[in-house]
């Protein structure tokens, strides 16, 4: 008897004909096409704005935005309509300043995507890992990602 608490690593389709398997693969590809096209569009518009968002991908039917630098998150917030921070601001990699950036980005994102939600998480710089501070942008639905692309293309 299989363990019901453990996720299965495969789907048992039983005996299927090659035609049925090919049709299933076609349906999966066509169902995911919109998500992959949205990622392509988002990568293009981010590149056009000089935003470094290297980890864009499709995960579990959503668009995973990955991690970005605090400076990139700040620039994205401005592109989405947040007012720019004063030039005399403190180091963005500091905890309080990074959280201000996250608040600005969250509000601008919600407005620009007409109610879309983004789950942000701050990773302070790590001396042990020798990595800079970053903000995880999380995953968003494809529909929200399409609105994000439009906001970045045509202005928030």
């Amino acid at each position: 008897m299989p363990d019901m608490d453990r996720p299965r690593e495969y789907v048992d389709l039983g005996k299927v004909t090659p035609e049925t398997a090919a049709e299933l693969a076609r349906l999966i590809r066509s169902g995911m096409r919109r998500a992959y096209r949205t990622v392509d569009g988002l990568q293009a518009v981010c590149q056009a704005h000089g935003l470094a968002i290297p980890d864009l991908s499709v995960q579990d039917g959503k668009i995973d935005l990955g991690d970005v630098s605090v400076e990139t998150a700040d620039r994205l917030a401005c592109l989405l309509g947040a007012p720019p921070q004063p030039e005399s601001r403190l180091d963005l990699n500091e905890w309080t300043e990074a959280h201000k950036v996250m608040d600005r980005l969250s509000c601008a994102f919600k407005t620009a995507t007409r109610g879309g939600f983004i789950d942000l998480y701050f990773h302070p710089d790590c001396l042990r890992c020798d990595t800079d501070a970053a903000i995880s942008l999380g995953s968003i639905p494809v529909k929200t990602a399409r609105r994000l692309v439009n906001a970045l293309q045509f202005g928030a």
Side-chain angles (χ1 to χ4, degrees), residues 46-77:
C46 287
Q47 186 177 17
H49 284 292
L51 294 172
I53 305 180
D55 298 327
L56 289 172
S57 63
V58 177
Q59 299 290 329
D60 298 325
K62 291 185 170 188
I63 308 299
D64 186 26
L65 302 173
D67 297 346
V68 297
S69 69
V70 180
E71 291 81 10
T72 298
D74 184 54
R75 179 147 164 70
L76 178 59

PDB file of all heavy atoms in Angstrom, residues 46-77:
ATOM      1  N   CYS A  46      11.904  43.638 -18.939  1.00  0.00           N
ATOM      2  CA  CYS A  46      12.883  43.889 -17.879  1.00  0.00           C
ATOM      3  C   CYS A  46      14.236  44.253 -18.475  1.00  0.00           C
ATOM      4  O   CYS A  46      14.905  45.175 -17.999  1.00  0.00           O
ATOM      5  CB  CYS A  46      13.002  42.678 -16.954  1.00  0.00           C
ATOM      6  SG  CYS A  46      11.585  42.462 -15.867  1.00  0.00           S
ATOM      7  N   GLN A  47      14.628  43.556 -19.498  1.00  0.00           N
ATOM      8  CA  GLN A  47      15.895  43.856 -20.173  1.00  0.00           C
ATOM      9  C   GLN A  47      15.860  45.254 -20.782  1.00  0.00           C
ATOM     10  O   GLN A  47      16.832  45.997 -20.698  1.00  0.00           O
ATOM     11  CB  GLN A  47      16.182  42.807 -21.242  1.00  0.00           C
ATOM     12  CG  GLN A  47      17.540  42.954 -21.879  1.00  0.00           C
ATOM     13  CD  GLN A  47      17.815  41.842 -22.883  1.00  0.00           C
ATOM     14  OE1 GLN A  47      16.907  41.146 -23.331  1.00  0.00           O
ATOM     15  NE2 GLN A  47      19.064  41.685 -23.233  1.00  0.00           N
ATOM     16  N   ALA A  48      14.730  45.629 -21.372  1.00  0.00           N
ATOM     17  CA  ALA A  48      14.596  46.961 -21.971  1.00  0.00           C
ATOM     18  C   ALA A  48      14.733  48.064 -20.926  1.00  0.00           C
ATOM     19  O   ALA A  48      15.230  49.150 -21.219  1.00  0.00           O
ATOM     20  CB  ALA A  48      13.258  47.078 -22.687  1.00  0.00           C
ATOM     21  N   HIS A  49      14.308  47.794 -19.694  1.00  0.00           N
ATOM     22  CA  HIS A  49      14.407  48.775 -18.610  1.00  0.00           C
ATOM     23  C   HIS A  49      15.702  48.636 -17.817  1.00  0.00           C
ATOM     24  O   HIS A  49      15.910  49.365 -16.847  1.00  0.00           O
ATOM     25  CB  HIS A  49      13.219  48.637 -17.650  1.00  0.00           C
ATOM     26  CG  HIS A  49      11.958  49.212 -18.177  1.00  0.00           C
ATOM     27  ND1 HIS A  49      11.760  50.556 -18.379  1.00  0.00           N
ATOM     28  CD2 HIS A  49      10.789  48.613 -18.550  1.00  0.00           C
ATOM     29  CE1 HIS A  49      10.549  50.771 -18.840  1.00  0.00           C
ATOM     30  NE2 HIS A  49       9.938  49.602 -18.972  1.00  0.00           N
ATOM     31  N   GLY A  50      16.537  47.683 -18.175  1.00  0.00           N
ATOM     32  CA  GLY A  50      17.793  47.482 -17.468  1.00  0.00           C
ATOM     33  C   GLY A  50      17.625  46.840 -16.104  1.00  0.00           C
ATOM     34  O   GLY A  50      18.466  47.022 -15.225  1.00  0.00           O
ATOM     35  N   LEU A  51      16.543  46.085 -15.927  1.00  0.00           N
ATOM     36  CA  LEU A  51      16.303  45.388 -14.665  1.00  0.00           C
ATOM     37  C   LEU A  51      16.947  44.008 -14.713  1.00  0.00           C
ATOM     38  O   LEU A  51      16.704  43.246 -15.639  1.00  0.00           O
ATOM     39  CB  LEU A  51      14.806  45.223 -14.409  1.00  0.00           C
ATOM     40  CG  LEU A  51      14.011  46.491 -14.169  1.00  0.00           C
ATOM     41  CD1 LEU A  51      12.525  46.178 -14.124  1.00  0.00           C
ATOM     42  CD2 LEU A  51      14.452  47.169 -12.884  1.00  0.00           C
ATOM     43  N   ALA A  52      17.727  43.693 -13.720  1.00  0.00           N
ATOM     44  CA  ALA A  52      18.380  42.386 -13.640  1.00  0.00           C
ATOM     45  C   ALA A  52      17.507  41.445 -12.817  1.00  0.00           C
ATOM     46  O   ALA A  52      17.562  41.439 -11.587  1.00  0.00           O
ATOM     47  CB  ALA A  52      19.761  42.521 -13.011  1.00  0.00           C
ATOM     48  N   ILE A  53      16.663  40.682 -13.503  1.00  0.00           N
ATOM     49  CA  ILE A  53      15.822  39.670 -12.855  1.00  0.00           C
ATOM     50  C   ILE A  53      16.160  38.346 -13.530  1.00  0.00           C
ATOM     51  O   ILE A  53      15.464  37.890 -14.432  1.00  0.00           O
ATOM     52  CB  ILE A  53      14.324  40.021 -12.964  1.00  0.00           C
ATOM     53  CG1 ILE A  53      14.058  41.421 -12.401  1.00  0.00           C
ATOM     54  CG2 ILE A  53      13.479  38.984 -12.222  1.00  0.00           C
ATOM     55  CD1 ILE A  53      12.622  41.871 -12.456  1.00  0.00           C
ATOM     56  N   PRO A  54      17.250  37.708 -13.087  1.00  0.00           N
ATOM     57  CA  PRO A  54      17.794  36.564 -13.818  1.00  0.00           C
ATOM     58  C   PRO A  54      17.059  35.235 -13.649  1.00  0.00           C
ATOM     59  O   PRO A  54      17.226  34.334 -14.455  1.00  0.00           O
ATOM     60  CB  PRO A  54      19.211  36.443 -13.251  1.00  0.00           C
ATOM     61  CG  PRO A  54      19.099  36.975 -11.859  1.00  0.00           C
ATOM     62  CD  PRO A  54      18.065  38.071 -11.932  1.00  0.00           C
ATOM     63  N   ASP A  55      16.239  35.107 -12.614  1.00  0.00           N
ATOM     64  CA  ASP A  55      15.671  33.795 -12.305  1.00  0.00           C
ATOM     65  C   ASP A  55      14.203  33.646 -12.679  1.00  0.00           C
ATOM     66  O   ASP A  55      13.484  32.880 -12.041  1.00  0.00           O
ATOM     67  CB  ASP A  55      15.853  33.496 -10.812  1.00  0.00           C
ATOM     68  CG  ASP A  55      17.314  33.445 -10.402  1.00  0.00           C
ATOM     69  OD1 ASP A  55      18.130  33.018 -11.233  1.00  0.00           O
ATOM     70  OD2 ASP A  55      17.623  33.837  -9.264  1.00  0.00           O
ATOM     71  N   LEU A  56      13.734  34.357 -13.679  1.00  0.00           N
ATOM     72  CA  LEU A  56      12.340  34.219 -14.106  1.00  0.00           C
ATOM     73  C   LEU A  56      12.107  32.809 -14.625  1.00  0.00           C
ATOM     74  O   LEU A  56      12.882  32.302 -15.426  1.00  0.00           O
ATOM     75  CB  LEU A  56      12.012  35.219 -15.220  1.00  0.00           C
ATOM     76  CG  LEU A  56      11.920  36.676 -14.826  1.00  0.00           C
ATOM     77  CD1 LEU A  56      11.795  37.545 -16.068  1.00  0.00           C
ATOM     78  CD2 LEU A  56      10.745  36.904 -13.906  1.00  0.00           C
ATOM     79  N   SER A  57      11.031  32.187 -14.161  1.00  0.00           N
ATOM     80  CA  SER A  57      10.726  30.834 -14.620  1.00  0.00           C
ATOM     81  C   SER A  57       9.261  30.519 -14.369  1.00  0.00           C
ATOM     82  O   SER A  57       8.545  31.276 -13.724  1.00  0.00           O
ATOM     83  CB  SER A  57      11.607  29.815 -13.889  1.00  0.00           C
ATOM     84  OG  SER A  57      11.328  29.828 -12.499  1.00  0.00           O
ATOM     85  N   VAL A  58       8.832  29.391 -14.910  1.00  0.00           N
ATOM     86  CA  VAL A  58       7.485  28.892 -14.662  1.00  0.00           C
ATOM     87  C   VAL A  58       7.609  27.737 -13.670  1.00  0.00           C
ATOM     88  O   VAL A  58       8.342  26.787 -13.914  1.00  0.00           O
ATOM     89  CB  VAL A  58       6.813  28.407 -15.967  1.00  0.00           C
ATOM     90  CG1 VAL A  58       5.443  27.833 -15.681  1.00  0.00           C
ATOM     91  CG2 VAL A  58       6.735  29.536 -16.988  1.00  0.00           C
ATOM     92  N   GLN A  59       6.912  27.870 -12.552  1.00  0.00           N
ATOM     93  CA  GLN A  59       6.925  26.842 -11.514  1.00  0.00           C
ATOM     94  C   GLN A  59       5.494  26.596 -11.056  1.00  0.00           C
ATOM     95  O   GLN A  59       4.829  27.533 -10.606  1.00  0.00           O
ATOM     96  CB  GLN A  59       7.766  27.282 -10.306  1.00  0.00           C
ATOM     97  CG  GLN A  59       9.221  27.542 -10.612  1.00  0.00           C
ATOM     98  CD  GLN A  59       9.977  26.277 -10.919  1.00  0.00           C
ATOM     99  OE1 GLN A  59       9.679  25.208 -10.405  1.00  0.00           O
ATOM    100  NE2 GLN A  59      10.955  26.381 -11.790  1.00  0.00           N
ATOM    101  N   ASP A  60       5.040  25.379 -11.175  1.00  0.00           N
ATOM    102  CA  ASP A  60       3.699  25.003 -10.702  1.00  0.00           C
ATOM    103  C   ASP A  60       2.601  25.878 -11.296  1.00  0.00           C
ATOM    104  O   ASP A  60       1.660  26.269 -10.600  1.00  0.00           O
ATOM    105  CB  ASP A  60       3.634  25.050  -9.173  1.00  0.00           C
ATOM    106  CG  ASP A  60       4.584  24.070  -8.518  1.00  0.00           C
ATOM    107  OD1 ASP A  60       4.780  22.976  -9.082  1.00  0.00           O
ATOM    108  OD2 ASP A  60       5.141  24.391  -7.453  1.00  0.00           O
ATOM    109  N   GLY A  61       2.739  26.233 -12.560  1.00  0.00           N
ATOM    110  CA  GLY A  61       1.716  27.007 -13.247  1.00  0.00           C
ATOM    111  C   GLY A  61       1.725  28.489 -12.926  1.00  0.00           C
ATOM    112  O   GLY A  61       0.847  29.226 -13.357  1.00  0.00           O
ATOM    113  N   LYS A  62       2.708  28.947 -12.162  1.00  0.00           N
ATOM    114  CA  LYS A  62       2.839  30.363 -11.824  1.00  0.00           C
ATOM    115  C   LYS A  62       4.174  30.875 -12.356  1.00  0.00           C
ATOM    116  O   LYS A  62       5.058  30.099 -12.706  1.00  0.00           O
ATOM    117  CB  LYS A  62       2.790  30.574 -10.308  1.00  0.00           C
ATOM    118  CG  LYS A  62       1.435  30.314  -9.699  1.00  0.00           C
ATOM    119  CD  LYS A  62       1.467  30.679  -8.238  1.00  0.00           C
ATOM    120  CE  LYS A  62       0.078  30.664  -7.650  1.00  0.00           C
ATOM    121  NZ  LYS A  62       0.070  31.189  -6.283  1.00  0.00           N
ATOM    122  N   ILE A  63       4.304  32.187 -12.379  1.00  0.00           N
ATOM    123  CA  ILE A  63       5.554  32.820 -12.793  1.00  0.00           C
ATOM    124  C   ILE A  63       6.369  33.093 -11.533  1.00  0.00           C
ATOM    125  O   ILE A  63       5.940  33.854 -10.657  1.00  0.00           O
ATOM    126  CB  ILE A  63       5.293  34.135 -13.550  1.00  0.00           C
ATOM    127  CG1 ILE A  63       4.304  33.932 -14.696  1.00  0.00           C
ATOM    128  CG2 ILE A  63       6.611  34.736 -14.028  1.00  0.00           C
ATOM    129  CD1 ILE A  63       4.737  32.960 -15.758  1.00  0.00           C
ATOM    130  N   ASP A  64       7.526  32.463 -11.434  1.00  0.00           N
ATOM    131  CA  ASP A  64       8.422  32.671 -10.304  1.00  0.00           C
ATOM    132  C   ASP A  64       9.395  33.776 -10.683  1.00  0.00           C
ATOM    133  O   ASP A  64      10.129  33.655 -11.671  1.00  0.00           O
ATOM    134  CB  ASP A  64       9.168  31.381  -9.957  1.00  0.00           C
ATOM    135  CG  ASP A  64      10.002  31.511  -8.707  1.00  0.00           C
ATOM    136  OD1 ASP A  64       9.658  32.355  -7.846  1.00  0.00           O
ATOM    137  OD2 ASP A  64      10.996  30.788  -8.577  1.00  0.00           O
ATOM    138  N   LEU A  65       9.373  34.863  -9.912  1.00  0.00           N
ATOM    139  CA  LEU A  65      10.213  36.018 -10.218  1.00  0.00           C
ATOM    140  C   LEU A  65      11.612  35.915  -9.627  1.00  0.00           C
ATOM    141  O   LEU A  65      12.509  36.645 -10.023  1.00  0.00           O
ATOM    142  CB  LEU A  65       9.521  37.295  -9.719  1.00  0.00           C
ATOM    143  CG  LEU A  65       8.129  37.547 -10.302  1.00  0.00           C
ATOM    144  CD1 LEU A  65       7.475  38.733  -9.606  1.00  0.00           C
ATOM    145  CD2 LEU A  65       8.194  37.752 -11.790  1.00  0.00           C
ATOM    146  N   GLY A  66      11.810  35.037  -8.676  1.00  0.00           N
ATOM    147  CA  GLY A  66      13.140  34.812  -8.115  1.00  0.00           C
ATOM    148  C   GLY A  66      13.609  35.923  -7.205  1.00  0.00           C
ATOM    149  O   GLY A  66      12.820  36.702  -6.673  1.00  0.00           O
ATOM    150  N   ASP A  67      14.918  36.008  -7.035  1.00  0.00           N
ATOM    151  CA  ASP A  67      15.546  36.990  -6.154  1.00  0.00           C
ATOM    152  C   ASP A  67      16.177  38.099  -6.974  1.00  0.00           C
ATOM    153  O   ASP A  67      16.716  37.848  -8.060  1.00  0.00           O
ATOM    154  CB  ASP A  67      16.645  36.341  -5.310  1.00  0.00           C
ATOM    155  CG  ASP A  67      16.122  35.276  -4.365  1.00  0.00           C
ATOM    156  OD1 ASP A  67      14.895  35.216  -4.163  1.00  0.00           O
ATOM    157  OD2 ASP A  67      16.946  34.514  -3.832  1.00  0.00           O
ATOM    158  N   VAL A  68      16.113  39.321  -6.432  1.00  0.00           N
ATOM    159  CA  VAL A  68      16.744  40.471  -7.070  1.00  0.00           C
ATOM    160  C   VAL A  68      17.494  41.262  -6.005  1.00  0.00           C
ATOM    161  O   VAL A  68      17.224  41.134  -4.814  1.00  0.00           O
ATOM    162  CB  VAL A  68      15.718  41.390  -7.785  1.00  0.00           C
ATOM    163  CG1 VAL A  68      15.011  40.665  -8.909  1.00  0.00           C
ATOM    164  CG2 VAL A  68      14.716  41.968  -6.807  1.00  0.00           C
ATOM    165  N   SER A  69      18.405  42.095  -6.446  1.00  0.00           N
ATOM    166  CA  SER A  69      19.093  42.973  -5.509  1.00  0.00           C
ATOM    167  C   SER A  69      18.105  44.011  -4.988  1.00  0.00           C
ATOM    168  O   SER A  69      17.059  44.267  -5.600  1.00  0.00           O
ATOM    169  CB  SER A  69      20.271  43.674  -6.203  1.00  0.00           C
ATOM    170  OG  SER A  69      19.784  44.603  -7.164  1.00  0.00           O
ATOM    171  N   VAL A  70      18.430  44.610  -3.872  1.00  0.00           N
ATOM    172  CA  VAL A  70      17.559  45.637  -3.295  1.00  0.00           C
ATOM    173  C   VAL A  70      17.486  46.830  -4.246  1.00  0.00           C
ATOM    174  O   VAL A  70      16.424  47.432  -4.418  1.00  0.00           O
ATOM    175  CB  VAL A  70      18.059  46.059  -1.898  1.00  0.00           C
ATOM    176  CG1 VAL A  70      17.171  47.130  -1.294  1.00  0.00           C
ATOM    177  CG2 VAL A  70      18.130  44.853  -0.975  1.00  0.00           C
ATOM    178  N   GLU A  71      18.584  47.140  -4.918  1.00  0.00           N
ATOM    179  CA  GLU A  71      18.598  48.247  -5.881  1.00  0.00           C
ATOM    180  C   GLU A  71      17.654  47.969  -7.050  1.00  0.00           C
ATOM    181  O   GLU A  71      16.943  48.861  -7.514  1.00  0.00           O
ATOM    182  CB  GLU A  71      20.024  48.494  -6.401  1.00  0.00           C
ATOM    183  CG  GLU A  71      20.974  49.058  -5.366  1.00  0.00           C
ATOM    184  CD  GLU A  71      21.548  47.994  -4.429  1.00  0.00           C
ATOM    185  OE1 GLU A  71      21.367  46.777  -4.665  1.00  0.00           O
ATOM    186  OE2 GLU A  71      22.170  48.390  -3.432  1.00  0.00           O
ATOM    187  N   THR A  72      17.629  46.721  -7.524  1.00  0.00           N
ATOM    188  CA  THR A  72      16.725  46.356  -8.616  1.00  0.00           C
ATOM    189  C   THR A  72      15.277  46.453  -8.156  1.00  0.00           C
ATOM    190  O   THR A  72      14.413  46.943  -8.895  1.00  0.00           O
ATOM    191  CB  THR A  72      17.039  44.941  -9.135  1.00  0.00           C
ATOM    192  OG1 THR A  72      18.377  44.929  -9.652  1.00  0.00           O
ATOM    193  CG2 THR A  72      16.074  44.519 -10.224  1.00  0.00           C
ATOM    194  N   ALA A  73      14.994  46.011  -6.942  1.00  0.00           N
ATOM    195  CA  ALA A  73      13.637  46.114  -6.400  1.00  0.00           C
ATOM    196  C   ALA A  73      13.217  47.573  -6.288  1.00  0.00           C
ATOM    197  O   ALA A  73      12.073  47.928  -6.597  1.00  0.00           O
ATOM    198  CB  ALA A  73      13.559  45.415  -5.040  1.00  0.00           C
ATOM    199  N   ASP A  74      14.133  48.436  -5.883  1.00  0.00           N
ATOM    200  CA  ASP A  74      13.847  49.863  -5.782  1.00  0.00           C
ATOM    201  C   ASP A  74      13.544  50.449  -7.158  1.00  0.00           C
ATOM    202  O   ASP A  74      12.584  51.200  -7.332  1.00  0.00           O
ATOM    203  CB  ASP A  74      15.035  50.580  -5.140  1.00  0.00           C
ATOM    204  CG  ASP A  74      14.769  52.049  -4.919  1.00  0.00           C
ATOM    205  OD1 ASP A  74      13.743  52.376  -4.283  1.00  0.00           O
ATOM    206  OD2 ASP A  74      15.581  52.873  -5.376  1.00  0.00           O
ATOM    207  N   ARG A  75      14.330  50.073  -8.141  1.00  0.00           N
ATOM    208  CA  ARG A  75      14.112  50.569  -9.517  1.00  0.00           C
ATOM    209  C   ARG A  75      12.783  50.059 -10.058  1.00  0.00           C
ATOM    210  O   ARG A  75      12.042  50.794 -10.711  1.00  0.00           O
ATOM    211  CB  ARG A  75      15.266  50.133 -10.410  1.00  0.00           C
ATOM    212  CG  ARG A  75      15.125  50.561 -11.844  1.00  0.00           C
ATOM    213  CD  ARG A  75      16.460  50.862 -12.481  1.00  0.00           C
ATOM    214  NE  ARG A  75      16.387  50.903 -13.919  1.00  0.00           N
ATOM    215  CZ  ARG A  75      15.767  51.855 -14.617  1.00  0.00           C
ATOM    216  NH1 ARG A  75      15.150  52.826 -13.992  1.00  0.00           N
ATOM    217  NH2 ARG A  75      15.747  51.830 -15.940  1.00  0.00           N
ATOM    218  N   LEU A  76      12.451  48.795  -9.803  1.00  0.00           N
ATOM    219  CA  LEU A  76      11.174  48.230 -10.238  1.00  0.00           C
ATOM    220  C   LEU A  76      10.015  48.989  -9.596  1.00  0.00           C
ATOM    221  O   LEU A  76       9.028  49.305 -10.264  1.00  0.00           O
ATOM    222  CB  LEU A  76      11.104  46.741  -9.891  1.00  0.00           C
ATOM    223  CG  LEU A  76       9.811  46.011 -10.239  1.00  0.00           C
ATOM    224  CD1 LEU A  76       9.516  46.082 -11.742  1.00  0.00           C
ATOM    225  CD2 LEU A  76       9.892  44.554  -9.794  1.00  0.00           C
ATOM    226  N   ALA A  77      10.141  49.313  -8.313  1.00  0.00           N
ATOM    227  CA  ALA A  77       9.094  50.081  -7.633  1.00  0.00           C
ATOM    228  C   ALA A  77       8.884  51.425  -8.322  1.00  0.00           C
ATOM    229  O   ALA A  77       7.740  51.835  -8.558  1.00  0.00           O
ATOM    230  CB  ALA A  77       9.452  50.281  -6.162  1.00  0.00           C
TER     231      ALA A  77
END
